[in-house]
Amino acid sequence: MRRLFPVTDQTVTTDSGGRPPGASGEGGGAGGGAAEDREWSLDELADAYAYPEPGPGEPGPWLRANMVSTLDGAAQHDGRSQPISTATDMRIFGTLRGLADVVVVGAETVRLEGYRPARARAEFAGRREAAGQGPAPAVAVVTASLDLDFSLPLFTSPLVPTLILTGAAAAPDRVAAAEKAGARVVIAGDGMGVEPDRAVRALAELGHTRLLTEGGPRLLGQFVAAGVLDELCLTVSPMLAVGDAQRIAGGPSVAVPRRFALVSLLEEEGFLFGRYRRP
């Protein structure tokens, strides 16, 4: 892996004349030598993806998303993201989880991807302890219907109790089933569904300020439309999937496209790993 942006003295190596090797004498030609391409340690990845330091006063919630997309915009292949991912993408996936207080995910993604509870990892134990976090992030499932299999490990054997984000009008019998299974039900909407801004506030009130959502596309679209997404970590996979797979975000379009700023860009074997923040 190598860093492409921001450009630093470690991003581009220079020759004795102060120019990138292979650069032309005029016009800033291409061919600059890139920084060493090697596997990054988990510590280096954690530094590269650290949550921003909170400002004065109480830290507010910071919601980041982590998604993968092919060159032609597919967020999945055969309903799952794994076929368009890579081992390094999964290391970043694990790193982002290792830094988060809570992982927010839609019920459909839980069903399709076979979600399991987040696990404690020794590599992040020191960072989590220093940040006042528990051993692993909680998983918060966003669902209106609570149509979930509460016999799955996500509910029966999590290290941290799984949260259910739902609306006040959710079916009482499903709420009771979730609570019987050991989940904590959090109301984040007045009707059947969840209101994205209330979900973020409700999680922050529980002490979860480092938020990570892994989709799916419909949930991410709701966060974008509500204007509560602070950061997007996007892996661009050098693949073409064709078909009718969803994009990384779905739902009604916003009145004006949301503009995000590039914070960093890493590359490995043609995969691009970008971080974009709301200005």
Side-chain angles (χ1 to χ4, degrees), residues 233-256:
C233 298
L234 177 64
T235 296
V236 178
S237 170
M239 301 181 187
L240 295 169
V242 197
D244 57 359
Q246 290 180 294
R247 297 158 49 187
I248 65 166
S253 63
V254 295
V256 178

Side-chain angles (χ1 to χ4, degrees), residues 214-236:
E214 297 169 351
R218 183 166 55 182
L219 178 62
L220 179 55
Q222 293 170 353
F223 283 134
V224 172
V228 295
L229 184 71
D230 297 297
E231 179 180 337
L232 173 64
C233 298
L234 177 64
T235 296
V236 178

Side-chain angles (χ1 to χ4, degrees), residues 18 46 54 71 82 111 125 143 145 148 153 159 192 212 215 218 256 266:
L71 296 175
Q82 187 276 332
R111 290 187 285 264
T143 174
S145 67
L148 298 161
L159 191 60
M192 287 288 293
L212 170 66
R218 183 166 55 182
V256 178
L266 309 177

Side-chain angles (χ1 to χ4, degrees), residues 96-211:
L96 294 177
R97 281 194 163 200
L99 298 174
D101 295 333
V102 62
V103 178
V104 188
V105 63
E108 184 65 13
T109 297
V110 168
R111 290 187 285 264
L112 288 173
E113 301 275 359
Y115 257 62
R116 300 182 65 85
R119 59 189 177 91
R121 297 182 59 181
E123 299 92 338
F124 300 105
R127 286 178 181 268
R128 295 189 68 85
E129 183 177 1
Q133 297 171 298
V139 175
V141 183
V142 177
T143 174
S145 67
L146 283 83
D147 180 16
L148 298 161
D149 182 354
F150 294 118
S151 68
L152 294 175
L154 180 61
F155 303 101
T156 61
S157 57
L159 191 60
V160 182
T162 295
L163 305 174
I164 299 288
L165 295 172
T166 192
D173 62 323
R174 297 306 296 166
V175 171
E179 293 176 335
K180 183 178 180 180
R184 178 173 183 175
V185 177
V186 179
I187 302 302
D190 292 329
M192 287 288 293
V194 170
E195 299 165 22
D197 56 336
R198 284 187 58 177
V200 171
R201 292 200 307 270
L203 290 171
E205 288 168 3
L206 294 176
H208 303 312
T209 56
R210 304 172 188 88
L211 312 179

Side-chain angles (χ1 to χ4, degrees), residues 251-272:
S253 63
V254 295
V256 178
R258 311 286 189 191
R259 178 68 180 266
F260 275 49
L262 179 65
V263 176
S264 72
L265 184 63
L266 309 177
E267 184 272 341
E268 183 180 85
E269 297 182 350
F271 283 81
L272 298 177

